[in-house]
Amino acid sequence: MDEVISPADHHASPGKEQQAAGVGILLQIMMLVLSFVLGHVLRRHKFYYLPEASASLLIGLIVGGLANISNTETSIRTWFNFHEEFFFLFLLPPIIFQSGFSLSPKPFFSNFGAIVTFAILGTFIAAVVTGVLVYLGGAFYLIYKLPFAECLMFGALISATDPVTVLSIFQELGTDVNLYALVFGESVLNDAMAISLYRTMALVRSNASSGQSFFMLVLHFLETFLGSMSAGVGVGFTSALLFKYAGLGVDNLQNLECCLVVLFPYFSYMLAEGIGLSGIVSILFTGIVMKQYTFSNLSENSQRFVSAFFHLISSLAETFVFIYMGFDIAMEKQSWSHVGFIFFSVIFIVVARAANIFSCAYLVNLVRPRHRKIPLKHQKALWYGGLRGAMAFALALQSVHDLPDGHGQTIFTATTAIVVLTVLLIGGSTGTMLEALQVVGDDHDTPLSTNIEQTNQYVAPSYDYEDEGSSSGNRIKMKLKEFHKSAASFTALDKNYLTPFFTINNGEDDDDYDFDEPMPSSRRGGFYDRA
């Protein structure tokens, strides 16, 4: 990886440094404007072969390539270096928070069991399968050989999906709301799971010589994930109680109300990071809880402001990430000597994604009633929608520092190639693929959010144990049934206890605000988008 040169170069005069900073920021703003305008033109003309995320990445690649072959000053080029610290601290939190904040409770909790199965168990399966295949490929001298722990780290980071393209096409063409909920819900929880897995695998590598037991590693992962989730939920509930009883909704205090709402997500993120947990997991669940409980305690003006504000910074951050990533890919030193590693890695992640989706769908369908089973065409859409994006790229860039002897550079180059391949090529063919599977277009005349308003489609599934043959003694199946049945139990708990306690509502009209007005969501997707 190229050495990062600080903009405050000792050999440059203060005037030169300020001029370089101004030129660098100007170029970034110009690329953002170009990306938004191009994205609007593409949407307006319904040109799905170049989605917005692909266009942003392509703009970054082109500008980065031009800067790389030109004599652009180093002081200007350093303003475009992709710093993973900047990504994790400033760009990713608003995107992840908006993902949680834009969730609608009805479809999310109606499919909660399936979403958790795909995001938690499925991501674990994909990471392990990828890691094992990469290790075996090295053992048989098919690809560059890496230690087993590093193969698992690669499997964890490359399992982070970013289906921006798929979700945007779903919104444009219309699709089954349950499929949308599965894709969106999995993408929300998947990032958090991938980060936790990567950090756990990094711990495995660092403690390989200490003989730390597998049980302790599993315990550490659960501690990190569940602890981060608890921190996020706790901050969200605290914010709900504050806005319920503080009386900040009066006219002269609404600015204070808006400021506090904006600060709570970052408080959750920094709290988790400060105590050694995952800020991404924490801020995700803070977003889910704040949307469900805090939002209804705000005044109407504050509700409109925070919805627009979170959507705005999320859209800016998301577009900038793809531009930023494309520019850095073109500028960064790559290790193209291991082309076989890249080629086989693409095959391995396709196999791992299939193992993830089809095995988890099989488990989910075991416990769902006949009318609620996930059809095969939806499973294929989930499999095809597993694009890789900014999260995998940032973790790969971090692996350059975590791994020695060029191993991290090899992983970074492979991840770069996979991100470009999936976002540009597969992303561009997604619309055609989804139409071939006949999972889009059926609801083209009806906005996605209108379908979700039909709440009779989202009654949590109930199970008739006698009809399903509970006397068969299949204990695994019964355990899965109980797990999925928990969605219905949580809905009752939420309506009878949580909503009355944490909100000004009494549990009777807790969903009214979800659909009364058009609610913006990030380009990553959301259940409030109107056609």
Side-chain angles (χ1 to χ4, degrees):
M1 178 179 173
D2 290 339
E3 182 182 355
V4 176
I5 304 175
S6 171
D9 190 355
H10 296 295
H11 301 289
S13 65
K16 270 287 190 182
E17 294 171 8
Q18 187 173 359
Q19 182 183 12
V23 173
I25 295 173
L26 175 63
L27 288 175
Q28 293 172 354
I29 294 175
M30 290 174 62
M31 287 191 291
L32 277 171
V33 172
L34 178 60
S35 179
F36 281 118
V37 172
L38 181 59
H40 171 72
V41 172
L42 292 173
R43 282 199 313 271
R44 186 172 183 178
H45 291 84
K46 298 181 180 181
F47 186 79
Y48 302 123
Y49 297 102
L50 187 64
E52 287 181 77
S54 303
S56 300
L57 182 68
L58 196 58
I59 289 172
L61 285 170
I62 293 173
V63 176
L66 293 175
N68 201 23
I69 62 176
S70 66
N71 294 323
T72 306
E73 293 185 20
T74 303
S75 56
I76 296 177
R77 293 169 62 175
T78 52
W79 281 91
F80 291 90
N81 285 346
F82 192 101
H83 302 284
E84 58 269 23
E85 296 87 359
F86 179 67
F87 172 78
F88 281 111
L89 290 178
F90 296 103
L91 295 179
L92 189 60
I95 297 173
I96 297 297
F97 177 79
Q98 174 64 11
S99 296
F101 194 75
S102 62
L103 278 176
S104 179
K106 288 180 183 296
F108 180 76
F109 287 112
S110 175
N111 293 279
F112 182 74
I115 289 171
V116 170
T117 302
F118 284 117
I120 306 299
L121 177 61
T123 303
F124 178 79
I125 292 174
V128 172
V129 170
T130 303
V132 170
L133 289 176
V134 170
Y135 180 76
L136 292 177
F140 287 101
Y141 302 102
L142 295 175
I143 60 176
Y144 183 69
K145 187 175 183 179
L146 295 174
F148 185 62
E150 296 179 9
C151 292
L152 292 177
M153 289 177 66
F154 175 65
L157 70 88
I158 206 64
S159 298
T161 61
D162 192 7
V164 172
T165 300
V166 180
L167 293 172
S168 65
I169 292 176
F170 280 174
Q171 294 171 14
E172 293 291 333
L173 298 181
T175 188
D176 179 84
V177 285
N178 288 292
L179 174 60
Y180 190 96
L182 289 175
V183 175
F184 182 66
E186 186 215 1
S187 70
V188 168
L189 296 178
N190 170 270
D191 287 345
M193 179 66 179
I195 291 176
S196 298
L197 273 177
Y198 177 84
R199 292 180 177 178
T200 302
M201 298 308 175
L203 185 66
V204 171
R205 177 186 171 276
S206 62
N207 294 332
S209 59
S210 65
Q212 188 171 9
S213 66
F214 177 77
F215 173 77
M216 292 301 297
L217 293 171
V218 173
L219 188 64
H220 176 269
F221 169 77
L222 293 176
E223 177 186 2
T224 301
F225 191 85
L226 296 179
S228 304
M229 181 180 67
S230 301
V233 171
V235 171
F237 280 142
T238 301
S239 68
L241 291 175
L242 173 66
F243 291 106
K244 179 179 180 180
Y245 293 109
L248 300 176
V250 294
D251 291 338
N252 60 336
L253 292 179
Q254 285 185 4
N255 287 339
L256 174 60
E257 184 179 46
C258 293
C259 289
L260 289 175
V261 173
V262 171
L263 289 175
F264 264 102
Y266 257 108
F267 174 78
S268 171
Y269 184 90
M270 295 304 174
L271 173 65
E273 290 292 327
I275 59 179
L277 300 175
S278 172
I280 297 301
V281 178
S282 180
I283 199 173
L284 167 64
F285 284 95
T286 297
I288 295 174
V289 173
M290 287 186 68
K291 179 60 185 183
Q292 177 74 345
Y293 303 104
T294 306
F295 188 80
S296 61
N297 293 336
L298 305 178
S299 62
E300 292 185 5
N301 289 336
S302 296
Q303 287 182 2
R304 286 192 290 268
F305 168 79
V306 298
S307 297
F309 178 79
F310 289 138
H311 170 56
L312 170 65
I313 60 173
S314 175
S315 297
L316 283 172
E318 203 163 54
T319 304
F320 186 69
V321 162
F322 279 96
I323 295 174
Y324 201 27
M325 186 167 56
F327 193 94
D328 195 74
I329 288 172
M331 300 285 291
E332 198 68 56
K333 179 182 178 182
Q334 307 290 346
S335 177
W336 297 111
S337 58
H338 304 294
V339 179
F341 188 91
I342 298 172
F343 174 77
F344 282 101
S345 293
V346 173
I347 297 176
F348 293 158
I349 65 169
V350 170
V351 174
R353 180 69 179 173
N356 166 2
I357 297 300
F358 296 114
S359 62
C360 289
Y362 174 77
L363 293 176
V364 171
N365 285 341
L366 278 178
V367 299
R368 281 194 166 190
R370 184 178 300 274
H371 69 283
R372 292 271 302 170
K373 292 185 184 299
I374 303 174
L376 182 60
K377 63 180 182 179
H378 287 186
Q379 297 176 35
K380 293 178 180 178
L382 280 166
W383 168 71
Y384 196 79
L387 310 182
R388 270 59 178 181
M391 179 62 70
F393 181 81
L395 290 174
L397 194 58
Q398 184 174 325
S399 73
V400 176
H401 305 290
D402 294 340
L403 302 178
D405 302 326
H407 293 183
Q409 191 65 51
T410 301
I411 288 177
F412 175 71
T413 302
T415 304
T416 296
I418 291 169
V419 168
V420 173
L421 176 67
T422 57
V423 173
L424 293 181
L425 298 184
I426 299 180
S429 63
T430 298
T432 304
M433 178 66 176
L434 295 178
E435 288 179 345
L437 291 174
Q438 298 180 343
V439 297
V440 294
D442 295 336
D443 302 317
H444 180 72
D445 297 329
T446 306
L448 197 58
S449 56
T450 304
N451 290 336
I452 295 171
E453 290 181 48
Q454 301 170 2
T455 57
N456 61 321
Q457 297 182 11
Y458 280 95
V459 177
S462 59
Y463 302 98
D464 188 344
Y465 290 98
E466 293 181 4
D467 292 342
E468 293 291 326
S470 60
S471 59
S472 63
N474 191 333
R475 288 187 296 176
I476 296 179
K477 189 173 180 179
M478 292 301 297
K479 289 291 184 182
L480 289 171
K481 282 179 180 291
E482 291 297 326
F483 178 72
H484 282 265
K485 192 178 179 182
S486 64
S489 301
F490 178 82
T491 302
L493 173 68
D494 173 52
K495 184 175 182 179
N496 296 328
Y497 300 100
L498 296 181
T499 296
F501 183 77
F502 288 104
T503 73
I504 58 177
N505 299 324
N506 294 319
E508 298 174 357
D509 56 347
D510 53 313
D511 293 324
D512 290 347
Y513 61 82
D514 285 345
F515 307 109
D516 286 345
E517 298 179 1
M519 299 286 292
S521 70
S522 74
R523 197 177 61 186
R524 189 182 184 94
F527 293 117
Y528 302 109
D529 288 25
R530 304 266 180 181

